[in-house]
Structure formats: C-alpha cells, structure tokens
Amino acid sequence: MDRVKGKSLTGAEIVVRCLQEEGVEYVFGYPGGAVLFIYDELFKQDKVRHVLVRHEQGAAHAADGYSRSSNKIGVCLVTSGPGVTNAVTGIATAYMDSIPMVVLTGQVPTHAIGLDAFQECDTVGITRPCVKHNFLVKDVKDLATTIKKAFYLATTGRPGPVLVDIPKDVTAATCEFHYPGTIALRSYNPVKKGHAGQIKKAVQLLTEAERPMVYTGGGVILSNAAPQLTELVRLLGFPCTNTLMGLGAYPGTDRQFLGMPGMHGTYQTNMAMQHCDVLLAIGARFDDRVIGNPAHFAQNPRKIIHIDIDPSSISKRVKVDVPIVGNIPDVLDDLLKLLKNEKPRDIKAWWKQIEEWRAKDCLKYDRKSKIIKPQFVLEKLYEVTKGDAFVTSDVGQHQMWAAQFYKFDKPRRWINSGGLGTMGFGLPAAMGVQMANPGATVACVTGESSIQMCLQELSTCKQYRLPIKIVNLNNKYMGMVRQWQQFFHGNRYSESYMDALPDFVKLAEGYGHRGMLVEKPGDVEPALREAFARTNELVFLDFITDQAENVYPMIPGGKGITEMILSEDL
C-alpha cells in the first residue's frame, strides 16, 4: 500500500521526499556535478539537514557514527567518480561492523555509462564486495521503490550499508511520486524467531554447565538486546565477556564482567574462554582477533551455543554444537522464559578459579612514571566523564587502551572501527555521534598518526559548532606498528616514526578551536577537567606520552588465546 501518492516530481525531488518520509534528520555529504539537482532540492526544504564534510570519507564515517550511537540510520550523499571512491573506505568500515547506512551516490547520465565519461566509475562494481546490497537506478519510476528497499535492507536481518547509484539524468527526469509504506522482497526474509528445539537444547546445556562462559559481540548492541543479555547473565550468575564491538552490552563495572577477550583481552577472560565447558556465543563471530588460532581453540572440548541472525556466521570459523538463527532479543526472550523454571549448577569452584586468574592484574602499568602513561590518561578520562561519555576512537594502541581502561556500562557509547581497523575514523565518527546526541559529552581518543588522516574535519566541527573533546595520545610513533616491530621484527622501526609532526595546539587554533599541550602526569586530570568544562568548544588535548609503552596482554599472531605476553613476563 502506498503511503504517499502525489503529483509528478523530478528524480531529485523524489530523493529528498523519500528521505523526509524515512524521517532522516541529517545527510552527511559533499556536492559535485552528478548530484547538483539533489543538492538544489535539499536547499529548497528544511526537514532534512545537510552536513557539509570536508572529504567524502568523513561523510561515510560521520553517517556511521551517527548510526552506531543512536539506533537511527545514517545517510551520506556523494558525487560520482572520486566522490564514490573517496567514500569506499567509510562504506567498507560500516560493512565490516554490520552498521546500517544508506549511501546515495551520483552517477554520470545513463547514456554515458561505460564510455569513460568525466568523473565516471563503476560504482556498483567497486562497492559490491563492501555493501550489503547496491542498486543502479536507470529509470526515475524505480527511484522511490529502490530507496525504500535500501532503507529496509540496511536495517533488517544482519544490518549493513546499502548503496543507491543515481545517474544525473534520472535526477532530472520526472514521474508521479509513489512512496510505498511497506516493502516485501521475495528472496529476502530474515528469520526472527529461533528454533524452539534448539533453544531447549541450549537451556539443557546451560543448566548442566560446570564451567560456563557468556561471550557476546556487536550483534547484541545492533539488535538492542542489552537489557535481555543483562537479565540473562544475572539470572544465571555466569561470567560474561564483550568483544571490542560489544563493549557496553553488559555493564563493564559489574563483577560478572571479566573484560574484553582476544589479542589484547584480559588474562582472566582468555583463560575462561579456553577452559569453559559450555560457551554461549551471542551476536559474535569468533573473529581471529578474539579466539586466535582456531586449532588451538579447538584443543579443549567444550559445547558451543551460537545465537546469530546471520546463518553464514555460524560455524564459519569454529564448529558449534547448538546453532540458533534468529533475532537476538527474540531468542533471548524465549531462553529467559525457559531458564526461569530451571536451576543451574553450583559454579562456585569455577568462580574461584576465575578470581585466581583475575588476581594476576594483567592491566597493571607503572603508575609512578614521570612520563605520561597513556593508560593513566584513559583512567582519568573515565573519572572526569564519570563513565558517561560517548567515546569514539581511531585505530591502534590508543584504541586498545580505551577498550581496556574505560568501563562502558551502556550500549552504543563505544564507537570504533573493529573489523576494518580504519585510521581516521575517530573524528568524523565523533561528528556523527554529536549530531545524533546533541548536548552529550563526546570524546575522540586518537593518536598523532590517526588524527592526521581526516584532520580536515576540524573545519566541519567549526562550521557546525560541535564541542568534541579530542584526546590525542601522542607518542610520536605509529604505536601499534612500532610494538609489532619491537616484538617480531628485531626492533627495526621501519617507517613507524612520525617525524615532522605539526604543533597540534596551533593547528587546532588555526581551525578556530582551543588546543592544550599536556606534558606532565600531574597536569593530566586538571587539563581534562578544564577541557570538559568548556561545554561549547572543541578542545584538542595533545598528551605527550611514553614512546616505549606497549599494550598488554598481547597474543602474537597465529598463537592461541592462552599464549599471552604479559607485562610481567618481560
């Protein structure tokens, strides 16, 4: 049934009307020849606001951050050719982390497609491997229905970015506007309810477990299942871990939370993951950075229950015993109903073992150092913001320290590029977060290498008065690259030293923001307090940190999750 049926409109008008019908607040974009008709229509209305980024990669990352932090769909708009190719990194970032986004791209006129026209590229071909789906609209009559399909596909099942490529002549052509209220695709019917028999098997395994473990990933957050997860973990009394993408799904300050698993996860989590007898995996994909070498992981016999909406994620890397395909909140609701009538085994002995592992204090660092330790900055950031900030990060050591030392009690507060590991993500993502959550405290944790990848977005922050606090952990190295070179490449620091760094304070001031240089541990907390007291300003905090500091624990590539390097081992 059509929700809107009306007069004849141009393709450009149809695009804008579709966005209005979907309740889109912001479009992050950058104009160019192929999308000028669309920009003209955006200019004529005020329901959908446009945010002018300074690079198309920033548009995709900002739409991504907007989506991750709000449960609303992020939308970006770029022109053909280089506009699209610049956005690909941001599209791939969202795809790897299953983030719902709609990407609207301009294309050369239909008669010029395939003729190497000015600013032409094969958008559908280039983006096919890094989108959930993409469309090329060749007829204006198909435009509204295609955009409806894009929003539906992006947000249902396993979410992801969906791209709609629109030739310029399609935006100029006219047709009667029909916007469908609902859409059905014959070949696309994601399963919502889990199989009742499999859920009963899961209940039996969970109640009989002597050494249980709950392992959850980004799927719990994307499906808004944090309340059900928290209820389940507390009902059972089991230990719980959240992956890098799942932090905040279960409260990070709770005693049952063991910390993050994997390459830089805590000692107690990795030991519990390896030695449990029943592992309940929810919305996680057994990523290589989480379980290390699958052969090592498989050495210990355990029963694995895996809940995921995407059947292709189940038994992809690790064979599971009880697969449950379905929407996580629905499956957890059914699990909870059955578990409320069951009594799990006494697992005091298992908790005693976990507390012995926890006593190792695997995250300890030198607190008496006269040089600023990056871990100390993150601990103070947590104190000053009372754990209530939205924290975006770039990629590298600072990302791992933020995941280890900032305790996330709520979902959608930790915004980072997990699957693709995209340097430059942090600042534009923070812009999207701030747009989605006006008035909220937003901090971007970054390093001097990452921040320079999308630094031009400081200009966007000025234009839209976004009071983000940038926490730059400056060790004058590509920190994670240097760490690997130290451990595995004989201390040969090939091209990881960042020579000729800018004066970040002057740079921030040059963009019209406030910059602060912090060089002593005693100045860390006062600087953070001053920065966050400036609620209407972007403040760039440049912390000069220990160049030799490494992230521990660390699992070398190809090793198992119990083969950790700890700081005390060196």
Side-chain angles (χ1 to χ4, degrees):
M1 184 180 150
D2 288 338
R3 189 194 302 166
V4 178
K5 192 169 184 176
K7 58 179 185 179
S8 188
L9 301 178
T10 67
E13 288 175 301
I14 288 169
V15 170
V16 174
R17 283 289 297 275
C18 291
L19 296 177
Q20 291 173 349
E21 286 297 317
E22 290 293 338
V24 173
E25 286 180 297
Y26 294 105
V27 171
F28 301 90
Y30 202 93
V35 287
L36 285 184
F37 287 125
I38 299 172
Y39 270 87
D40 199 34
E41 293 308 321
L42 282 169
F43 183 83
K44 294 173 186 174
Q45 55 83 59
D46 56 9
K47 282 186 183 172
V48 179
R49 289 181 59 193
H50 183 273
V51 177
L52 177 66
V53 296
R54 299 310 190 259
H55 189 286
E56 289 90 352
Q57 182 178 342
H61 289 330
D64 181 332
Y66 178 90
S67 181
R68 290 186 201 232
S69 66
S70 68
N71 195 31
K72 292 182 275 196
I73 188 159
V75 179
C76 62
L77 170 62
V78 299
T79 195
S80 62
V84 169
T85 55
N86 278 347
V88 165
T89 297
I91 297 167
T93 300
Y95 177 70
M96 286 289 280
D97 291 342
S98 304
I99 305 304
M101 270 169 52
V102 168
V103 183
L104 303 175
T105 60
Q107 183 55 276
V108 300
T110 49
H111 62 79
I113 291 174
L115 300 178
D116 294 332
F118 177 66
Q119 291 196 328
E120 181 190 358
C121 71
D122 177 7
T123 298
V124 167
I126 287 169
T127 62
R128 185 175 283 123
C130 63
V131 293
K132 184 174 176 182
H133 196 64
N134 59 18
F135 300 91
L136 171 62
V137 182
K138 291 185 176 177
D139 188 329
V140 70
K141 295 186 185 71
D142 299 328
L143 188 53
T145 304
T146 303
I147 292 175
K148 183 69 181 181
K149 286 178 184 176
F151 277 90
Y152 174 63
L153 287 168
T155 53
T156 54
R158 181 178 182 169
V162 177
L163 184 143
V164 182
D165 197 30
I166 311 170
K168 186 167 185 177
D169 58 321
V170 172
T171 65
T174 60
C175 73
E176 195 173 335
F177 177 53
H178 302 275
Y179 197 64
T182 56
I183 205 97
L185 301 172
R186 193 171 52 186
S187 59
Y188 176 75
N189 293 292
V191 175
K192 283 202 161 185
K193 297 292 282 183
H195 187 281
Q198 295 295 83
I199 291 171
K200 279 181 186 166
K201 281 187 197 171
V203 168
Q204 187 177 351
L205 282 178
L206 291 169
T207 50
E208 291 174 358
E210 293 179 3
R211 301 185 309 280
M213 183 73 176
V214 180
Y215 151 59
T216 81
V220 174
I221 290 172
L222 290 166
S223 64
N224 300 308
Q228 288 97 327
L229 172 69
T230 303
E231 186 183 348
L232 178 79
V233 172
R234 287 181 174 155
L235 174 72
L236 293 169
F238 289 178
C240 180
T241 179
N242 301 151
T243 66
L244 182 73
M245 295 309 304
L247 291 174
Y250 186 80
T253 54
D254 192 275
R255 191 69 187 167
Q256 284 172 247
F257 181 66
L258 303 191
M260 184 173 71
M263 181 171 277
H264 297 294
T266 62
Y267 181 77
Q268 60 269 20
T269 298
N270 287 337
M271 295 300 282
M273 285 276 285
Q274 185 70 354
H275 295 289
C276 65
D277 64 351
V278 174
L279 181 63
L280 173 59
I282 310 171
R285 56 193 179 92
F286 292 89
D287 179 70
D288 60 296
R289 290 290 170 110
V290 169
I291 64 155
N293 185 336
H296 178 277
F297 189 69
Q299 284 172 7
N300 290 28
R302 65 177 77 71
K303 295 292 184 186
I304 300 176
I305 305 157
H306 191 177
I307 304 168
D308 206 291
I309 199 158
D310 180 8
S312 74
S313 285
I314 294 177
S315 291
K316 187 192 248 179
R317 298 193 75 242
V318 170
K319 190 175 182 308
V320 306
D321 301 279
V322 183
I324 304 173
V325 177
N327 187 37
I328 292 169
D330 293 331
V331 175
L332 292 186
D333 282 341
D334 290 343
L335 255 183
L336 281 162
K337 275 179 202 161
L338 295 179
L339 283 166
K340 279 170 182 171
N341 302 318
E342 302 285 340
K343 190 168 171 54
R345 280 196 179 191
D346 186 332
I347 56 166
K348 284 197 188 80
W350 177 231
W351 270 112
K352 185 171 181 286
Q353 173 63 77
I354 287 169
E355 293 306 335
E356 284 174 21
W357 288 327
R358 182 141 47 188
K360 251 191 181 306
D361 189 17
C362 62
L363 299 182
K364 68 183 176 187
Y365 64 93
D366 180 8
R367 295 175 181 278
K368 294 177 181 171
S369 169
K370 294 199 167 114
I371 308 168
I372 295 174
K373 292 287 186 182
Q375 302 96 318
F376 179 69
V377 178
L378 269 310
E379 284 185 329
K380 288 299 173 188
L381 177 67
Y382 177 72
E383 280 178 35
V384 168
T385 60
K386 300 182 173 63
D388 206 35
F390 288 85
V391 180
T392 73
S393 90
D394 274 294
V395 171
Q397 287 180 317
H398 60 271
Q399 177 190 26
M400 294 299 110
W401 283 316
Q404 290 175 337
F405 288 92
Y406 199 101
K407 310 286 185 228
F408 293 95
D409 278 344
K410 299 174 188 171
R412 299 188 182 275
R413 294 300 177 100
W414 169 236
I415 313 295
N416 79 120
S417 167
L420 197 64
T422 307
M423 292 171 69
F425 174 82
L427 179 57
M431 300 186 321
V433 172
Q434 193 77 76
M435 289 286 193
N437 302 275
T441 301
V442 181
C444 169
V445 176
T446 186
E448 77 295 330
S449 308
S450 285
I451 193 64
Q452 293 190 83
M453 293 249 178
C454 285
L455 190 64
Q456 67 278 2
E457 299 308 333
L458 283 172
S459 179
T460 308
C461 293
K462 184 63 181 174
Q463 181 174 344
Y464 297 95
R465 297 183 175 88
L466 302 177
I468 296 157
K469 307 300 179 274
I470 297 171
V471 177
N472 185 38
L473 302 179
N474 187 345
N475 60 9
K476 300 184 170 65
Y477 272 102
M478 295 176 206
M480 194 59 87
V481 173
R482 184 207 58 75
Q483 180 168 336
W484 279 62
Q485 287 172 335
Q486 177 188 333
F487 285 4
F488 311 119
H489 299 279
N491 296 304
R492 291 181 294 280
Y493 300 129
S494 174
E495 303 302 324
S496 56
Y497 179 70
M498 295 295 288
D499 205 357
L501 282 171
D503 179 331
F504 285 110
V505 172
K506 285 183 180 171
L507 191 63
E509 289 170 352
Y511 277 101
H513 304 299
R514 184 171 296 272
M516 297 170 71
L517 177 65
V518 188
E519 298 180 282
K520 295 176 186 170
D523 294 336
V524 169
E525 186 177 338
L528 284 166
R529 291 201 180 279
E530 182 185 342
F532 282 96
R534 297 180 179 277
T535 52
N536 297 319
E537 288 182 76
L538 184 147
V539 183
F540 192 120
L541 293 137
D542 189 21
F543 293 96
I544 306 303
T545 62
D546 190 341
Q547 288 185 283
E549 194 64 25
N550 290 322
V551 181
Y552 298 106
M554 181 183 183
I555 300 168
K559 296 288 188 182
I561 56 170
T562 57
E563 299 176 288
M564 290 167 273
I565 302 170
L566 303 174
S567 57
E568 64 191 45
D569 297 336
L570 301 175

